[in-house]
Amino acid sequence: MKILLLGSKGQLGSKLKNSLKKVGEVIESDRSRLNLENLDQILPFIEKIKPSIIINASAYTNVEAAEDQAELASIVNFKAVDTLAKIAKKLNILFIHFSTDYVFDGTKNDPYLEDDLPSPLNVYGKTKLDGEKAIQESGCMFYIFRVTWVIGEYGNNFAKKIIQLAKERSHLKIISDQQGVPTSPSLISEVLIHLIKSYKSSTKWGFGIYNLTPNGKASWFIIAELIIRFMSEKENQSSVKAITLEPVLTSEFITKAKRPLNSLLDNSKLEKALGYQLNDWKIYFLDDMKRILNKNLK
Ligand SMILES: NC(=O)c1ccc[n+]([C@@H]2O[C@H](COP(=O)([O-])OP(=O)(O)OC[C@H]3O[C@@H](n4cnc5c(N)ncnc54)[C@H](OP(=O)(O)O)[C@@H]3O)[C@@H](O)[C@H]2O)c1
């Protein structure tokens, strides 16, 4: 089965390009092969490859910059996704796409369900929601996985920033009132492998939107504490200074983009499709931390 992976150099794409080899022939694409801003180049590119599945791990993901680059964010997160979905429909290709908890405003007290009413607070969230709607309206066969706080061994992310700052500073202020969980690219890979195996068999999952997050609850502060503890437990800790963490409120940080206070997603629909319960976020996270620190503390 030929799988076209778009965004193969991103945090998630870098993981998927290796792990998905178990379930198919992975054709990688990044900006240098297909720039998604060039909408008219998408169809000829896909017609040449003739994939059975398109996985779109590419996106405009800079939440802050999107406030000033709304048009560009919309081209990548909406127009290109709309084009891909229409091509998937026309050529009978399965389309797998990723979205975000940022489609919600975070005012719900409980974890969000797939069919809760979206109401994005920022440009990034709005463009991702437009992308979701375009896929749903295209009539193609699709799975949209809403993920949160992606942190893994590849690319830039919160964990790598904290590791770097811990080497430079003795005091860090970390936001403590945004609730969510890190979603590991390893977990996303595990789910996609399961999904693609099911898709090849007669036990297909229902098409649609699925929340894809591990179990449990965290905040940026809790994650930062865990990172610092984990760093100081590592043998080679010469570069880690003594550091104190101070919890602060979102309202104390001035940012262009507003962020939801509740990023928790209910994953029971996904667990039902998988037929098993997902682990607590710490299990996946500590695995990723080991890999990150092995590279970083050398
Ligand atoms: N990161 C998170 O915390 C988070 C949270 C929730 C949901 N998500 C979603 O999860 C998915 C994967 O995110 P990620 O963290 O892996 O993002 P990422 O590391 O920023 O990777 C995105 C990739 O998309 C590529 N891309 C951007 N614009 C492009 C264009 N015009 N043409 C071709 N490629 C382009 C980027 O290439 P360049 O490097 O060349 O720009 C990059 O390789 C996305 O759908 C994202 O919205 C992420």
Side-chain angles (χ1 to χ4, degrees), residues 10-12 31 34-36 58-59 61 98-99 124 128 147 150:
Q11 267 210 91
L12 176 57
R31 185 189 289 273
L34 174 67
N35 185 337
L36 291 167
S58 61
T61 55
F98 300 95
S99 190
Y124 166 74
K128 293 295 288 184
V147 301
V150 176

Side-chain angles (χ1 to χ4, degrees), residues 39-90:
L39 301 177
D40 54 349
Q41 290 177 11
I42 300 178
L43 178 61
F45 182 80
I46 292 173
E47 279 180 326
K48 207 166 155 195
I49 293 172
K50 294 188 177 55
S52 306
I53 303 177
I54 296 172
I55 300 180
N56 182 26
S58 61
Y60 182 105
T61 55
N62 190 331
V63 178
E64 281 299 285
E67 297 295 308
D68 294 326
Q69 294 192 315
E71 206 182 322
L72 178 58
S74 179
I75 290 172
V76 180
N77 292 347
F78 164 50
K79 291 202 176 130
V81 172
D82 180 44
T83 306
L84 286 165
K86 284 177 178 150
I87 293 169
K89 167 72 181 165
K90 184 178 168 199

Side-chain angles (χ1 to χ4, degrees), residues 6-14 29-32 34-38 56-62 72 75-77 97-102 124 128 145-151 154-157 188 220:
L6 303 173
S8 64
K9 291 216 168 98
Q11 267 210 91
L12 176 57
S14 301
S29 177
D30 57 24
R31 185 189 289 273
S32 67
L34 174 67
N35 185 337
L36 291 167
E37 289 165 50
N38 303 325
N56 182 26
S58 61
Y60 182 105
T61 55
N62 190 331
L72 178 58
I75 290 172
V76 180
N77 292 347
H97 180 73
F98 300 95
S99 190
T100 166
D101 57 288
Y102 278 25
Y124 166 74
K128 293 295 288 184
F145 291 101
R146 287 191 185 135
V147 301
T148 61
W149 301 7
V150 176
I151 301 178
Y154 302 105
N156 291 318
N157 55 50
I188 300 172
W220 295 115

